[in-house]
Amino acid sequence: MPCLVGKSHVCCTRIENLSVKAGGEYILKDINLHLHCGELTAIVGRNGAGKTTFIKALLNTIPHSGNIIFEGERCAGNCGKDHTTDHDRFCTCRKRIPYTTTKPVFGYVPQTLSVEPGSPVCVEDLVFACTSKRPVWLRHRKKDIEAASEILSCTNSHQLLKRRVCDLSGGELQRVMLALAINPLPDILLLDEPVSGVDRVGLKSFYELVSSIRRDFDITILLISHDLDLVARHADRVVFINNASAVVGTVKDVYRQKDFMEVFGHIMLPDEY
Ligand SMILES: Nc1ncnc2c1ncn2[C@@H]1O[C@H](COP(=O)(O)OP(=O)(O)OP(=O)(O)O)[C@@H](O)[C@H]1O
């Protein structure tokens, strides 16, 4: 399973001159960023700054201009192992070739999932709907249930398999969606931090889980965040979106920047406590 795949490749994503306009105004203008594998990059900014717009442009769900170029490595294809899509990208054999694409594979966890109260859909159905070509209403086979459980175990949510999705807490739902977003393993994982239905303890464990994914899998993680303390503790780099442009740097660099301090004030860094 992709879950078992470890660190094996190097990659970089270049975002060049990304712009989004709405109603004649720029929401984002000429954003240029380099994102690296194995790094957690947090996107911060005041309400309405353009964080979600940025993610939507990356996912190509809204009109935008500019380029997204993903450079990675994949198996050369002659190592004699079974070649699934994941294998090509994450095989640990030594014969690897560089590849470049403008269409990287994204995993996406939205801020929330709208679920009808009382809906009988259980987590198992949700996993099958996302991962299997077999109609969800057919009786679930033992091997499919085991595969679903293994997918969920990546985020320690396998015990939720039989629970109704509408009954899950905000934190439980995030864990299920995160498991789906990393199976199969994407090139870039986009996360929108939950802002409702998750308490402070749940949010902390969400960041710890994201950090462990960053450690275990060599993928680029971009996280829209509203919790600047948790960002300071977990992010490798920060993108601060303000006035349609972006400032990028380490937590310390960005948090001590004049514009950032005007918006958010003085945020203590972990080594200042
Ligand atoms: N389709 C659209 N047409 C016009 N304006 C839009 C459109 N989509 C977003 N906007 C505006 O673009 C700005 C950025 O919105 P966006 O949702 O990206 O902000 P955000 O940083 O994610 O905010 P929040 O932190 O509140 O979630 C807002 O002023 C919003 O009203």
Side-chain angles (χ1 to χ4, degrees), residues 22-23 27 45-54 56 111 224 226:
I27 300 176
R46 68 173 100 209
N47 289 128
K51 303 179 293 293
T52 306
T53 302
F54 180 61
K56 284 181 180 170
Q111 219 167 41
I224 292 185
H226 300 92

Side-chain angles (χ1 to χ4, degrees), residues 123-142:
V123 171
E124 193 175 87
D125 299 324
L126 183 65
V127 176
F128 288 150
C130 295
T131 59
S132 168
K133 291 194 176 81
R134 215 173 122 87
V136 174
W137 60 85
L138 291 181
R139 194 170 162 269
H140 299 161
R141 296 173 299 192
K142 188 165 173 269

Side-chain angles (χ1 to χ4, degrees), residues 15 24 44 51 54 58 60 66 89 93 125 130 139 162 168 180 182 191 219 223-224 226-227 233 256-257 264:
I15 297 165
V44 301
K51 303 179 293 293
F54 180 61
L58 292 185
N60 203 17
R89 292 186 8 248
C93 84
D125 299 324
C130 295
R139 194 170 162 269
K162 301 290 177 191
L168 298 182
L180 288 169
I182 58 171
L191 307 169
I219 53 175
L223 165 68
I224 292 185
H226 300 92
D227 193 308
R233 285 174 198 284
R256 292 296 169 259
Q257 218 241 351
F264 294 117

